[in-house]
Amino acid sequence: MIYGRRLIGAAVTALTMLAAPVATAETPPDTLIQAWAIDDVISLDPAEIFEFTASEIAGNAYEGLIGYDPKDVSKIFGKVAENWTIAPDGMSISFKIREGRKFASGNEITAEDVVFSLTRAVKLDKSPAFILTQFGLNADNVDQMVVQTGPYSLDFKMDKAYAPTLVLYCLTATVGFVVDKKVVMEHESNGDFGYEWLKTNYAGSGPFTIREWRANEAVVMERNDNYSGDAPPMARVIYRHIPEGATQRLLLEQGDIDIARNLGAEEMTALASNTDLVIDTGAKGSIYYLGLNQKNEFLSKPEVRQAMKYLVDYQTIADTIMKGKVTVHQAFLPNGFLGALNDTPFSLDVAKAKELLAAAGVPDGFTVTMDTRNTPEITGIAQAIQQTMAEAGITMELIPGDGQQTLTKYRARNHDIYIGRWGPDYQDPHTNADTFARNPDNSDDAASKPLAWRNSWEIPEMTLKADAAVLEADADKRAEMYIELQEEHQQTSPFVIMFQEIEVLGRRKNVDGYILGPSFNDNSFALVTK
Amino acid sequence: MSITDTEGGRGSALFPFLWKTVKLLATVALTFLGLLIVTFLIGRVVPVDPVLAVVGDRASKSVYDKAFIELGLDRPLYEQFWLYLTKILTGDLGTSMLTKRDIVDDIARFFPATVELATVGILIGTLIGVPVGVWAAVRKGKLVDQVVRVLGLVGYSAPIFWLGLLGLLVFYARLQWVGGPGRIDIGFEYSITQNTGLLLIDSAMQGEWAAFRNIFGHIILPASLLGYYSMAYISRMTRSFMLNELEQEYIVTARVKGVPEWRIIWVHALRNAAVPLVTVVALSYANLLEGSVLTETVFAWPGLGQYLTNSLQNADMNAVLGCTLVIGAIFVGLNLISDLLYGLLDPRVRRRA
Amino acid sequence: MTVASRREWLLSDRPESRRQARLGQIYRTWLSFKTNWLAMIGLGIVLLLCVVAVFADVIAPYDPVIGGDLRTERFLPPFTGDHLLGTDDLARDIFSRIVHGARLTLMVVALVAVIATPIGLLVGTTSGYFGGWVDTVLMRVTDIFLAFPRLILALAFVAALGPGIENAIIAIAITSWPPYARLARAETLTIRDSDYINAARLQGASSARILWGHITPLCLSSVIIRVTLDMAGIILTAAGLGFLGLGAQPPQPEWGAMIASGRRFIIDFWWVATVPGIAIFVVSLGFNLLGDGLRDVLDPKAHGNTDTAKARP
């Protein structure tokens, strides 16, 4: 009996001694610490980066030829490039590179590096390569199409007279970032253009360098002393992988991190009353939509498609479960793009939906399945839609799956309805028009699989219209063409476009100067102060 | 048996023991082969396009086809299995489709965190479980015994991830007694170099005591949770083994001879009960691997469990199978060790040779 | 017969029919069982689970899947209005979800038991009875499955088959039968050479008949105890799978999945994740207590030897 008590006493004393005051660490004043789910980073090579998180990292570590004002994307200017001239036939653009600028390694930035960066991206042919190859470039001809014409000048040739805005926006994408040729080639092996090395290393010229990447753990970035612009106030920026919003919130409240990037609607509500914290938001280009497979006998009826557009309670979802994370948006070009359409003609109207269903010959509704990725947001939205659909007699069964499974099914056109989120690849309207409004080949073994193809939507005329918009040189005319396209698309398409994503950032009050741009590689912390 | 028999018997006792070990190892090897077959087959049943995981949704057809051939998906099944087998035996578990690194490297990186957690957990479980079990055996049938039994039952019945969540809520969010999710506060992270990956040891060896306290604050809650689970089991087993021992004749003899009670319990009985207890602890340790999968998810602990769940949620089948294989191998290994230990430690079994 | 005389009949020392002997045995077991108050609590919980599962539609006041008004009825705390346990993030009544979740839990437990037990019995008794290479092969296969921790193997299977409650049941069943096979084999070995079996063999009974008719019933009691004790583990494994998103899928009210989806709100709306955990805990505890009680009554020799120690977790 006594031994028992003594034992317990000893144990408790020992534990309390050791566990007593856990020092609350505040973040060092010259280091910015962000908590973000960075498990989608798979590579640091700009020729391969296609994920949001890696894009942001690269956006702060590298520079591209062209940049734009995040507040107004129509204001385009040159970053690495000083100016450019478009050839009279519109089939090539000549760039003049700014002189006297350096990479982080100390090497000078020349046209040779730019040409190297662009040609290697095409030759390596990784996932984002299509952004450049769509201009008629491929591994065989790219050395003749992208040529250096002087130490600080180069020509970019294409196979057609594409709209200059399109080309320039494409060059702002991550795949167009400039890498240090000398450093990369020092580490090349077997003619891989330094790919194996650059996957996990850095050779850029941006405000920060990438010092270290520990997959699923952290990314450490340091101030680039050779940066040609103003030196960033922060000496270090660290991304910490914390997958849970609730955990990020706790860390933010305690002051263990400066910025939390994955706050959900409830976390934001809870933090709203905290005077030490500020919530910043910025519209992003991702769109939430439903894809209705036209191979399904019910979904192919035009009245049914229309009816379903009236059976989603857009505003309520945006005000409750996705509060602060989305805005209602119903056209395929997100707000912030050239030619965006912000009309929202649809809202929940069960009576009208029932009328339309009756007109289609299915007054009592029907049963249909929806493939749902099991992330909390998508699942939440899906369940809410399930409820409103049921009010008109449409029984929607949710088929869950992880990202890869649902995607595999979608690409094989084996779904009824797919609920998804589409992010733009580059900051030009064609990125979404290409996928929502073009379907050049609807056969089962088509070479390209845009979203319109995945839902078996035959649209020969719309495809031609989208193609024409790509070649329109005048920016205003081009914008109008897209608006017209979207107005038609809204009414006739098998896409129920619902929301546009808002990026949310929670920061401690003393952290200032973070810029949230329209695209992830625009998010910049070069101006952050604490 | 004459004396000469026992003397010569020592030499010949070794050979059967070795032979037994060899047979055991052969069994293990066969089991391992079976493990491989099972994981390979599981990997082929998957309704996910593995090429997609590598190239992404928007790759062109040529990129897709290239990757298809690279992954060997155009070859017949038995060829694929042979490839799989040879790769595994050379230590190549394939590349993670997510991190693009070798899975072996990934596992090696995340392994120490799980080992540290499981070890501290089993220490807590043993240091508390054994004395508690002894106490319950000594006080059999009384209130103490019942309480211990109920506490143990609670340990078997509560879902570990739920207790973890509640623990975080109460001890971290509300009371702030312990550190939060993760192994260490970000402020301390760069003050120590990770030589072994076992942060408690690294920080102690480098004399960084502030960091050590911080690390301890973070590990104490998840380790206590795992410790509680193993304690439930260990205390129960200790109790039964002790009860067994306390009924033996030599105990009665010792009491008659006037040996003090505490000596009887702690020195004589426990030492004999310790033999099967060691195997119980080894098995518990193996079970903590299973518990860690769920605990690490709750506590954002960057160990093998979280790696496995991450890979699962991203359908990175190569990583899932690689992890499963490694955990299975460790399980087999620990079982093997406990079998051998039991044979080694129990003098009755040894002489039976 | 009156109550008193029925009791006498059951407890009689000289039963006149096999039926009377069997019923008497059961009755005696029951009397012994009744004295263990912890075991009775366990039985009570399990019975409650069954009743709630069967009458879920009647007991639950709201639909477990369809929520209320998203603007006004989300995150209501327990005891608001007639929401006994509050509502969750999609304005669904938690009490109704728990009640319907009981149905899912019972289904999982029952199906796993129904699938795994016969397989285990078959493999174990066959292996023990025939011995030789049949034994070796079957035991090798059993060992392979035992080589994995149960949750991990179930994870791998569900990852391959895809998430969903049917696949979770299959995965758990596949990983559950090996211990039963081991147990059945051990039991078979002890009675294989008994006079009773030899007599049956001499009478010309076929192997199948011996296995099914004689050996299996003798193994049954220890296997049943083991299965009951295992049920808590099965429930926890199913909840674990649900927690990881691999079991029943939303909007199904599976308890583990409810904890997972309620986890994000645990700080401000703790009941969404806590209540399902309590449910899992109570049911698990019930099965554990019941199993312990059954073991005390049916198999008093299974205490504290290392073989059971190894077979336990």
Side-chain angles (χ1 to χ4, degrees):
Chain A
M1 193 64 165
I2 309 174
Y3 336 118
R5 270 208 218 122
R6 259 202 232 141
L7 272 173
I8 295 183
V12 170
T13 328
L15 280 177
T16 28
M17 261 195 339
L18 283 173
V22 174
T24 41
E26 281 187 0
T27 63
D30 65 347
T31 306
L32 181 69
I33 304 192
Q34 304 191 57
W36 204 14
I38 55 168
D39 50 347
D40 59 341
V41 177
I42 57 167
S43 167
L44 299 178
D45 186 338
E48 189 176 18
I49 290 178
F50 211 34
E51 303 69 37
F52 296 140
T53 32
S55 299
E56 178 177 309
I57 295 171
N60 283 282
Y62 286 87
E63 292 178 302
L65 272 177
I66 311 283
Y68 51 77
D69 180 353
K71 304 272 189 324
D72 180 359
V73 301
S74 59
K75 299 204 176 81
I76 307 178
F77 54 85
K79 273 197 188 167
V80 168
E82 190 172 331
N83 53 47
W84 60 90
T85 12
I86 303 165
D89 66 351
M91 292 191 27
S92 74
I93 307 185
S94 308
F95 291 94
K96 166 118 185 13
I97 309 298
R98 291 183 202 266
E99 297 182 33
R101 298 170 95 252
K102 295 206 183 101
F103 286 104
S105 57
N107 295 332
E108 246 206 289
I109 306 180
T110 65
E112 195 180 346
D113 301 293
V114 179
V115 170
F116 173 68
S117 310
L118 296 176
T119 51
R120 86 184 269 278
V122 172
K123 288 183 192 161
L124 285 173
D125 205 14
K126 296 289 171 195
S127 309
F130 73 94
I131 299 177
L132 295 174
T133 57
Q134 66 180 326
F135 299 118
L137 304 174
N138 57 52
D140 296 320
N141 69 8
V142 69
D143 286 321
Q144 286 81 46
M145 303 289 268
V146 182
V147 257
Q148 186 179 2
T149 51
Y152 297 102
S153 56
L154 66 122
D155 277 348
F156 187 89
K157 300 190 196 134
M158 306 167 284
D159 66 345
K160 281 199 212 146
Y162 295 98
T165 41
L166 173 61
V167 185
L168 294 174
Y169 280 132
C170 284
L171 288 173
T172 66
T174 314
V175 73
F177 285 169
V178 181
V179 304
D180 188 339
K181 176 174 181 179
K182 286 204 195 70
V183 171
V184 171
M185 289 307 272
E186 271 169 34
H187 296 93
E188 121 159 299
S189 67
N190 296 334
D192 72 344
F193 301 106
Y195 168 65
E196 282 300 322
W197 179 82
L198 199 56
K199 247 196 327 196
T200 53
N201 286 286
Y202 168 74
S205 61
F208 290 93
T209 68
I210 307 176
R211 185 183 115 172
E212 198 187 347
W213 168 42
R214 293 199 301 269
N216 288 13
E217 248 188 83
V219 173
V220 180
M221 303 178 73
E222 275 182 347
R223 186 194 288 144
N224 175 7
D225 295 318
N226 280 326
Y227 178 54
S228 323
D230 297 325
M234 287 288 117
R236 246 204 225 149
V237 176
I238 301 180
Y239 287 94
R240 257 307 217 77
H241 173 56
I242 313 243
E244 300 255 315
T247 315
Q248 290 186 11
R249 168 221 169 141
L250 284 172
L251 291 170
L252 192 63
E253 280 178 324
Q254 304 280 358
D256 285 335
I257 57 174
D258 297 310
I259 295 185
R261 307 287 297 272
N262 290 105
L263 298 175
E266 286 71 32
E267 281 94 34
M268 289 197 286
T269 323
L271 293 177
S273 50
N274 189 328
T275 48
D276 288 328
L277 305 175
V278 177
I279 309 273
D280 285 340
T281 59
K284 273 288 177 301
S286 298
I287 302 183
Y288 288 90
Y289 71 96
L290 301 180
L292 311 176
N293 195 345
Q294 296 304 287
K295 279 188 179 179
N296 178 293
E297 52 167 331
F298 300 110
L299 301 174
S300 55
K301 300 187 207 281
E303 295 89 359
V304 170
R305 298 201 302 251
Q306 273 307 74
M308 296 188 92
K309 291 175 190 169
Y310 286 103
L311 284 173
V312 177
D313 196 349
Y314 307 90
Q315 202 54 52
T316 305
I317 296 177
D319 288 341
T320 55
I321 44 183
M322 296 298 282
K323 184 168 172 199
K325 305 271 286 177
V326 296
T327 49
V328 180
H329 190 86
Q330 295 174 351
F332 67 73
L333 283 186
N335 195 9
F337 274 71
L338 186 72
L341 177 66
N342 289 329
D343 292 348
T344 55
F346 301 106
S347 60
L348 182 65
D349 191 339
V350 180
K352 187 150 184 196
K354 281 192 180 159
E355 262 177 52
L356 285 164
L357 288 177
V362 281
D364 299 319
F366 52 90
T367 307
V368 79
T369 63
M370 178 152 87
D371 288 296
T372 313
R373 254 189 92 160
N374 47 18
T375 59
E377 283 90 30
I378 300 259
T379 320
I381 299 176
Q383 290 178 67
I385 295 176
Q386 192 185 35
Q387 281 176 217
T388 41
M389 290 272 168
E391 289 180 35
I394 300 183
T395 313
M396 204 184 240
E397 281 168 23
L398 300 182
I399 304 183
D402 58 44
Q404 302 293 356
Q405 282 171 323
T406 47
L407 210 51
T408 307
K409 217 173 144 191
Y410 193 28
R411 289 168 61 100
R413 310 208 271 192
N414 280 336
H415 63 291
D416 283 340
I417 304 182
Y418 179 84
I419 175 170
R421 186 175 152 230
W422 179 266
D425 301 316
Y426 45 90
Q427 201 60 21
D428 182 278
H430 186 58
T431 177
N432 277 11
D434 191 17
T435 199
F436 280 102
R438 278 186 83 240
N439 191 359
D441 179 358
N442 201 27
S443 65
D444 281 338
D445 53 353
S448 73
K449 300 187 158 105
L451 294 184
W453 177 88
R454 294 186 201 179
N455 291 290
S456 303
W457 192 35
E458 284 244 35
I459 34 165
E461 294 99 17
M462 199 178 272
T463 307
L464 289 174
K465 284 196 205 160
D467 285 337
V470 162
L471 300 172
E472 176 52 63
D474 181 292
D476 290 325
K477 275 218 202 101
R478 207 173 158 224
E480 264 183 52
M481 289 169 86
Y482 282 112
I483 292 185
E484 228 188 273
L485 199 52
Q486 287 174 89
E487 279 170 349
E488 186 191 338
H489 191 268
Q490 258 184 345
Q491 298 299 329
T492 61
S493 76
F495 292 106
V496 181
I497 300 182
M498 302 180 290
F499 310 107
Q500 178 173 353
E501 185 180 354
I502 298 180
E503 192 183 3
V504 171
L505 181 145
R507 58 178 168 86
R508 299 212 45 98
K509 211 171 41 173
N510 60 331
V511 177
D512 258 321
Y514 201 102
I515 299 179
L516 286 176
S519 166
F520 274 90
N521 61 1
D522 298 322
N523 288 352
S524 149
F525 37 81
L527 302 175
V528 167
T529 56
K530 276 171 68 156
Chain B
M1 310 243 182
S2 70
I3 300 176
T4 36
D5 269 337
T6 350
E7 271 186 13
R10 218 183 290 151
S12 60
L14 189 57
F15 181 65
F17 175 70
L18 278 179
W19 178 237
K20 191 164 158 234
T21 316
V22 167
K23 273 208 300 193
L24 210 56
L25 285 174
T27 314
V28 168
L30 238 87
T31 311
F32 200 65
L33 184 64
L35 269 177
L36 285 172
I37 297 181
V38 167
T39 45
F40 175 74
L41 287 177
I42 294 178
R44 292 298 168 267
V45 176
V46 179
V48 163
D49 186 352
V51 186
L52 212 54
V54 177
V55 301
D57 190 20
R58 309 187 196 183
S60 62
K61 192 164 192 317
S62 61
V63 175
Y64 184 92
D65 289 336
K66 213 172 24 162
F68 189 80
I69 298 180
E70 260 173 35
L71 289 172
L73 292 169
D74 52 334
R75 314 232 213 113
L77 208 64
Y78 60 86
E79 255 195 65
Q80 290 187 40
F81 179 67
W82 182 246
L83 217 66
Y84 182 71
L85 191 63
T86 44
K87 275 198 187 164
I88 302 264
L89 290 176
T90 52
D92 176 11
L93 286 171
T95 322
S96 161
M97 289 171 182
L98 209 56
T99 65
K100 298 293 167 87
R101 291 171 202 268
D102 286 339
I103 293 178
V104 194
D105 289 337
D106 276 345
I107 293 181
R109 238 165 12 99
F110 290 110
F111 195 54
T114 306
V115 168
E116 194 177 29
L117 184 61
T119 310
V120 177
I122 201 79
L123 276 175
I124 295 179
T126 314
L127 287 174
I128 299 184
V130 169
V132 163
V134 169
W135 196 15
V138 167
R139 296 267 173 273
K140 174 182 173 174
K142 305 236 181 76
L143 181 65
V144 168
D145 189 17
Q146 298 279 37
V147 167
V148 167
R149 188 162 170 210
V150 169
L151 278 181
L153 270 175
V154 169
Y156 284 140
S157 313
I160 193 171
F161 50 91
W162 176 67
L163 281 183
L165 278 178
L166 289 181
L168 269 180
L169 177 65
V170 171
F171 293 109
Y172 172 59
R174 298 259 184 265
L175 294 173
Q176 301 187 351
W177 285 358
V178 297
R183 294 176 83 186
I184 187 174
D185 276 344
I186 302 176
F188 287 103
E189 202 163 350
Y190 295 96
S191 56
I192 43 176
T193 29
Q194 298 194 21
N195 294 323
T196 61
L198 301 171
L199 292 183
L200 282 171
I201 298 191
D202 282 335
S203 55
M205 284 196 331
Q206 292 163 31
E208 296 277 350
W209 295 109
F212 184 87
R213 292 252 303 263
N214 188 267
I215 297 168
F216 188 84
H218 280 272
I219 202 174
I220 187 71
L221 191 56
S224 300
L225 207 56
L226 288 175
Y228 180 51
Y229 274 77
S230 54
M231 181 206 84
Y233 181 52
I234 290 176
S235 68
R236 192 183 186 137
M237 286 300 135
T238 310
R239 178 182 174 277
S240 348
F241 297 151
M242 281 299 286
L243 284 176
N244 250 350
E245 292 302 316
L246 289 174
E247 284 167 16
Q248 305 288 333
E249 273 188 19
Y250 74 90
I251 297 289
V252 178
T253 320
R255 279 209 191 105
V256 162
K257 278 166 72 176
V259 177
E261 188 69 13
W262 70 266
R263 227 186 130 78
I264 292 181
I265 298 175
W266 294 99
V267 176
H268 295 292
L270 187 57
R271 195 192 298 166
N272 286 329
V275 171
L277 208 52
V278 163
T279 56
V280 164
V281 171
L283 284 175
S284 264
Y285 196 69
N287 282 322
L288 284 189
L289 282 178
E290 196 177 4
S292 77
V293 170
L294 294 167
T295 319
E296 286 180 17
T297 313
V298 173
F299 287 91
W301 197 262
L304 217 52
Q306 206 187 52
Y307 181 66
L308 182 58
T309 32
N310 241 3
S311 313
L312 259 170
Q313 279 157 358
N314 288 288
D316 187 352
M317 276 317 283
N318 275 356
V320 171
L321 292 176
C323 242
T324 310
L325 207 55
V326 167
I327 295 181
I330 295 175
F331 212 55
V332 168
L334 281 170
N335 272 293
L336 177 67
I337 291 178
S338 80
D339 272 344
L340 287 175
L341 272 179
Y342 191 68
L344 220 54
L345 288 177
D346 189 341
R348 292 171 286 180
V349 176
R350 244 187 299 154
R351 236 176 277 133
R352 218 181 287 153
Chain C
M1 274 202 255
T2 63
V3 178
S5 60
R6 190 182 302 168
R7 199 162 178 270
E8 250 176 49
W9 180 79
L10 284 169
L11 290 174
S12 126
D13 272 337
R14 271 183 260 156
E16 275 143 36
S17 69
R18 195 194 265 167
R19 185 164 154 270
Q20 184 182 9
R22 278 234 181 96
L23 287 176
Q25 181 68 346
I26 294 177
Y27 188 61
R28 273 195 206 95
T29 314
W30 166 245
L31 284 177
S32 172
F33 186 82
K34 251 193 342 179
T35 60
N36 185 347
W37 63 277
L38 279 177
M40 289 302 286
I41 293 183
L43 182 63
I45 294 176
V46 173
L47 286 177
L48 184 64
L49 174 73
C50 296
V51 164
V52 168
V54 168
F55 294 107
D57 296 316
V58 174
I59 300 178
Y62 289 91
D63 188 305
V65 170
I66 309 281
D69 187 332
L70 283 179
R71 289 184 190 273
T72 56
E73 290 176 10
R74 297 172 75 217
F75 294 123
L76 296 175
F79 304 116
T80 326
D82 54 357
H83 294 288
L84 201 60
L85 295 171
T87 60
D88 66 1
D89 58 315
L90 287 176
R92 295 176 295 206
D93 179 40
I94 294 182
F95 179 66
S96 308
R97 280 172 70 76
I98 298 278
V99 163
H100 281 266
R103 197 176 263 187
L104 280 172
T105 307
L106 194 60
M107 182 175 84
V108 169
V109 161
L111 280 177
V112 169
V114 158
I115 297 176
T117 317
I119 297 180
L121 275 173
L122 191 61
V123 170
T125 50
T126 316
S127 177
Y129 185 69
F130 288 112
W133 63 266
V134 169
D135 184 22
T136 319
V137 166
L138 284 176
M139 278 303 112
R140 261 328 108 241
V141 173
T142 314
D143 278 342
I144 291 172
F145 280 92
L146 278 174
F148 289 100
R150 174 149 77 185
L151 180 67
I152 313 270
L153 191 59
L155 276 179
F157 271 113
V158 175
L161 297 171
I165 198 162
E166 309 85 14
N167 292 340
I169 293 176
I170 294 175
I172 300 177
I174 292 178
T175 54
S176 294
W177 66 263
Y180 310 154
R182 265 276 181 88
L183 194 57
R185 177 179 176 273
E187 295 274 326
T188 310
L189 283 177
T190 57
I191 52 179
R192 176 171 66 167
D193 295 318
S194 67
D195 292 336
Y196 171 58
I197 300 295
N198 281 328
R201 233 185 267 140
L202 280 175
Q203 285 185 331
S206 70
S207 300
R209 192 181 158 74
I210 294 182
L211 274 180
W212 233 181
H214 298 287
I215 297 190
T216 307
L218 291 171
C219 301
L220 213 51
S221 69
S222 40
V223 170
I224 286 184
I225 296 171
R226 188 58 210 275
V227 171
T228 315
L229 282 173
D230 237 8
M231 282 189 176
I234 292 174
I235 293 177
L236 290 176
T237 309
L241 287 177
F243 181 69
L244 293 173
L246 298 172
Q249 295 295 307
Q252 281 185 305
E254 197 262 319
W255 294 338
M258 286 170 72
I259 299 183
S261 52
R263 181 180 167 192
R264 296 148 58 203
F265 322 112
I266 196 161
I267 301 174
D268 305 301
F269 311 109
W270 53 270
W271 57 93
V272 183
T274 312
V275 170
I278 297 178
I280 299 175
F281 171 57
V282 166
V283 171
S284 223
L285 188 65
F287 276 107
N288 267 327
L289 290 174
L290 182 61
D292 266 356
L294 276 179
R295 181 168 61 189
D296 283 342
V297 159
L298 289 177
D299 197 13
K301 66 173 158 67
H303 268 313
N305 72 62
T306 345
D307 286 330
T308 27
K310 279 179 129 191
R312 202 347 182 138

